[in-house]
Amino acid sequence: MSTDTETQQGNGAATGDQTLTVTDNRTGKTYEVPITDGTVRAMDFRQMKVDEDDFGLMTYDPAFTNTASTRSAITYIDGDKGILEYRGYPIEQLAEKSSYLEVAYLLIFGELPTREQLDWWTNQITVHTFVHENIKSFMQGFRHDAHPMGMLLGSVGALSTFYPGAKDIKDPECRLIQTIRLLAKMPTLAAFSFRHIMGQPYVYPDNDLAYPGNFLSMMYKMTEVRYEPDPRLERALDILFILHADHEQNCSTNAVRAVGSSQVDPYSAVAAGIAALYGPLHGGANQAVLEMLRRVGKKENIADFMQGVKDGNERLMGFGHRVYKNYDPRARIIKAAAEDVFEVTGKNPLLEIATEMEKIALEDDYFVQRKLYPNVDFYSGLIYEALGLPVEMFTVMFAIPRTSGWIAQWLEMVTDKEQKIARPRQIYTGDRTRDYVDMGSRSGGEIPSGA
Ligand code: CMC
């Protein structure tokens, strides 16, 4: 037992002599907890008790706003400076020089591939693009107007039934083959969901085409013998895929890790990520941008709209970010890619409105003071629309490349000795031990009209 003046030690290993001294004013005891990488361990607070029966102090952080859930070596973000790096490589350099499959390799294996490694990787992904015919059959069972994200969610989850061996997640070879299958089949399932809502026949993969070109072929091929993707569209799509590949511990990645921590197969874990991405607060903002731009409609309406934003009646969608308090580096790259796409498809008149709104916002005190800059969603919707995609497909376009990030994070999690099943604590606020009330003695009786 310690005395009031005793200082007790936490369990984590400190970096040098960095520690935090905490005095528990309920008991007067002082504790010294190690600080490692600018972080204290929540478990070091458990020793702080009012008496021996006390459970110990917990930390409360409902949205993980200040809680690190993992140590990760995949993606680095400095939101104040507008920096995004995959495995240490700046996103600007990757977007300019690499391909999406190269980036996926980098995220998953930690290093840029050599020519030989990239050839092997590309070949592996290419030969796994086909899906079992039964997947096609059950996708055909969705309603004609089913949301493509719902179809993607259901079909990726169903992949686990086609590959029951995938549950052997402790076997590195098994993990590798599922990784390849997921990356290879995601564009196929995404394109099938698009063709479904368009009422068009599904198009099989063309394995002579590159990853983005094959995707365009599965989306747009009609009666021609061979679909020839425009290289400019192919490159723009590849850049979009690179930009969306990973973004460290966001909502969907956290979902993949949390569900994967139960040691379920990776298809089920990635399906959880797709479900999280489906939500409007995460993957759905690019759709909201497009709807906003359509509503503004013409340049003359911009001033009124911006005043509405400043008065708090509107939100400038595609602006602001929880992490970036500077220009989202992805937004700058997307803007340039948009110009290339419009060269092929013709200019989207909404681009002029978007550019003008951005110009006004970047000079206006309201936005400057709040550090509101364009985020990744401000221009991406314009590109998707130019590619002829209905708004329902926008989040699917995000899910295809994010698969490489999800799987890289899943692999890191399953091989991390420190990770256990994700199981948060709670602060219980309900009643305690009540005696069962017989039906005839219960009061109230309103039928619930909501929950
Ligand atoms: N338009 C107008 N005002 C804004 C906006 C905006 N887009 N974003 C934030 N603000 C204001 C907000 O009203 C608040 O002002 P005040 O201090 O006077 O109350 C201040 O800026 C701080 O905003 P916040 O809501 O506390 O910031 P947050 O970190 O909780 O929200 C956000 C971040 C992305 C949800 C928010 O900026 C937003 O709603 N943006 C529009 C939606 C959007 O583009 N989302 C895509 C995010 S990127 C994709 C992804 O990562 O999934």
Side-chain angles (χ1 to χ4, degrees):
M1 279 287 286
S2 59
T3 65
D4 284 1
T5 51
E6 241 176 345
T7 300
Q8 304 190 351
Q9 302 289 328
N11 295 323
T15 319
D17 55 1
Q18 293 196 335
T19 59
L20 174 75
T21 302
V22 180
T23 302
D24 186 340
N25 292 325
R26 299 171 303 172
T27 59
K29 285 183 196 160
T30 295
Y31 303 82
E32 195 178 334
V33 297
I35 299 176
T36 311
D37 298 322
T39 309
V40 290
R41 282 181 180 257
M43 275 306 284
D44 279 343
F45 288 75
R46 186 70 75 74
Q47 61 179 319
M48 301 172 194
K49 303 179 176 196
V50 284
D51 55 46
E52 277 307 307
D53 294 336
D54 185 3
F55 181 75
L57 206 59
M58 291 194 300
T59 53
Y60 181 58
D61 190 2
F64 295 131
T65 45
N66 196 37
T67 297
S69 62
T70 188
R71 303 174 72 85
S72 180
I74 301 172
T75 292
Y76 174 80
I77 301 174
D78 183 330
D80 290 328
K81 297 199 180 104
I83 293 174
L84 170 61
E85 295 172 357
Y86 297 157
R87 302 279 188 188
Y89 292 102
I91 192 68
E92 293 80 0
Q93 292 184 26
L94 292 170
E96 189 193 332
K97 298 182 176 163
S98 68
S99 66
Y100 168 66
L101 281 190
E102 207 180 330
V103 165
Y105 185 100
L106 171 70
L107 289 169
I108 289 164
F109 300 107
E111 295 297 337
L112 285 168
T114 60
R115 166 55 52 204
E116 205 185 355
Q117 286 167 329
L118 185 60
D119 288 348
W120 165 80
W121 179 237
T122 306
N123 181 261
Q124 288 296 309
I125 302 288
T126 308
V127 298
H128 284 92
T129 48
F130 276 72
V131 292
H132 194 288
E133 278 295 288
N134 286 1
I135 291 184
K136 207 181 100 184
S137 315
F138 86 68
M139 285 191 81
Q140 277 161 340
F142 282 108
R143 267 177 62 132
H144 69 281
D145 57 354
H147 197 290
M149 263 312 256
M151 282 192 261
L152 191 67
L153 166 57
S155 51
V156 170
L159 284 180
S160 74
T161 66
F162 288 84
Y163 304 108
K167 64 178 179 301
D168 196 3
I169 63 157
K170 301 248 158 86
D171 174 8
E173 275 180 40
C174 177
R175 292 195 299 258
L176 177 61
I177 182 68
Q178 315 316 330
T179 297
I180 291 166
R181 283 180 178 143
L182 264 163
L183 288 176
K185 295 180 197 313
M186 196 61 82
T188 313
L189 297 175
F192 281 9
S193 69
F194 171 71
R195 301 287 292 205
H196 187 85
I197 56 170
M198 302 306 283
Q200 294 168 351
Y202 301 176
V203 176
Y204 287 113
D206 180 343
N207 286 350
D208 289 331
L209 293 172
Y211 194 85
N214 171 48
F215 178 64
L216 289 170
S217 165
M218 291 188 291
M219 296 280 286
Y220 300 120
K221 183 172 180 298
M222 296 307 284
T223 53
E224 64 271 46
V225 177
R226 188 87 196 277
Y227 177 88
E228 300 285 350
D230 186 302
R232 291 167 295 178
L233 292 186
E234 219 181 336
R235 180 64 192 147
L237 192 60
D238 216 30
I239 291 173
L240 280 172
F241 283 175
I242 292 170
L243 300 181
H244 285 90
D246 196 48
H247 214 229
E248 50 118 309
Q249 305 312 313
N250 53 83
C251 179
S252 56
T253 300
N254 184 57
V256 171
R257 279 180 174 264
V259 171
S261 76
S262 73
Q263 302 194 348
V264 73
D265 68 88
Y267 302 105
S268 304
V270 167
I274 296 173
L277 191 70
Y278 199 170
L281 290 189
H282 191 6
N286 45 20
Q287 176 172 344
V289 172
L290 208 80
E291 284 158 1
M292 173 190 78
L293 293 174
R294 280 193 193 136
R295 196 151 54 84
V296 173
K298 46 186 179 185
K299 270 174 114 176
E300 297 77 62
N301 296 340
I302 295 177
D304 271 0
F305 179 83
M306 294 303 257
Q307 194 53 50
V309 172
K310 292 198 278 181
D311 294 342
N313 304 325
E314 301 273 5
R315 201 146 253 244
L316 183 52
M317 299 310 287
F319 259 69
H321 199 277
R322 173 61 64 79
V323 178
Y324 292 115
K325 299 301 167 197
N326 201 322
Y327 213 102
D328 180 339
R330 300 169 298 175
R332 193 171 278 124
I333 302 165
I334 287 189
K335 199 174 164 188
E339 300 284 356
D340 295 343
V341 170
F342 297 148
E343 255 181 44
V344 184
T345 62
K347 216 171 194 108
N348 187 332
L350 297 177
L351 176 69
E352 222 186 318
I353 297 175
T355 314
E356 185 63 20
M357 281 169 122
E358 179 192 331
K359 194 164 153 260
I360 294 172
L362 292 182
E363 286 165 4
D364 190 298
D365 269 0
Y366 176 94
F367 299 94
V368 174
Q369 276 166 14
R370 288 170 180 77
K371 300 188 174 170
L372 300 172
Y373 294 89
N375 61 48
V376 68
D377 290 318
F378 196 61
Y379 290 104
S380 61
L382 290 174
I383 300 187
Y384 296 144
E385 194 186 53
L387 290 176
L389 293 173
V391 284
E392 294 81 16
M393 275 301 286
F394 288 10
T395 320
V396 172
M397 299 300 289
F398 193 154
I400 297 169
R402 184 52 60 89
T403 304
S404 60
W406 289 330
I407 205 80
Q409 302 268 352
W410 174 79
L411 287 164
E412 189 176 61
M413 189 265 307
V414 295
T415 51
D416 180 349
K417 299 256 178 310
E418 246 195 322
Q419 291 290 336
K420 297 175 174 197
I421 186 164
R423 204 302 184 187
R425 295 277 173 184
Q426 64 168 8
I427 301 169
Y428 180 67
T429 59
D431 291 315
R432 287 300 317 278
T433 328
R434 300 198 276 176
D435 277 332
Y436 183 79
V437 181
D438 290 330
M439 189 77 76
S441 311
R442 294 175 202 169
S443 55
E446 301 241 318
I447 303 294
S449 58

